[in-house]
Amino acid sequence: MAKRNKKETCCDANGINNMSCCKVEALVSVDERGQMVLPKEVRDKANIKSGDKLAVASMGDNKKTCCICLIKVEELAGMVKNILGPVMEEINKGGKEK
C-alpha cells in the first residue's frame, strides 16, 4: 500500500474504496426547522469551528438520496484536485502527442 502524502485529504481517491474509513460517529435529530446539531466530540475530531463552511454531498439516484456527507470546503478542494488532477494530466498528454 502506498504511503499517504501529508497534503492528501483523509478520503482521497484511494480512500474512497476503503470502507474502513467510514463509520457512524453519532446520531443527530433534525428539528422542525430542518436544523441539526453536530455533537461537540464530532466537531472537535473534525476540527470544525464556528464559521467554517461545509459542502453537502449526496449519493443516490434521481428518486432518492441514500447518503449525505459533510465535507470541509478546504478538504473538498484537495479531493477534487486528487481526482481530477490525473484526468487532466491524461488529457494534456493526449493533446501533446498529436
Side-chain angles (χ1 to χ4, degrees), residues 7-98:
K7 291 184 180 182
E8 289 182 4
T9 62
C10 63
C11 288
D12 60 15
N14 295 324
I16 291 171
N17 297 322
N18 180 3
M19 293 309 289
S20 66
C21 76
C22 300
K23 60 184 174 180
V24 175
E25 290 284 344
L27 298 177
V28 298
S29 298
V30 179
D31 70 15
E32 61 278 351
R33 296 188 317 174
Q35 297 177 330
M36 63 183 123
V37 174
L38 292 176
K40 182 179 183 336
E41 297 82 23
V42 172
R43 294 190 317 267
D44 289 346
K45 190 173 180 181
N47 196 28
I48 297 172
K49 307 286 186 220
S50 177
D52 283 353
K53 300 288 184 191
L54 303 174
V56 179
S58 65
M59 290 176 38
D61 57 27
N62 290 333
K63 296 180 182 179
K64 184 177 180 181
T65 296
C66 65
C67 181
I68 298 171
C69 179
L70 301 175
I71 307 166
K72 290 180 78 172
V73 169
E74 53 269 11
E75 292 287 326
L76 182 62
M79 292 170 73
V80 169
K81 182 179 178 182
N82 285 341
I83 293 168
L84 292 181
V87 173
M88 295 307 293
E89 285 179 23
E90 282 298 314
I91 290 171
N92 286 333
K93 283 181 189 177
K96 292 178 182 177
E97 292 175 3
K98 290 182 178 180

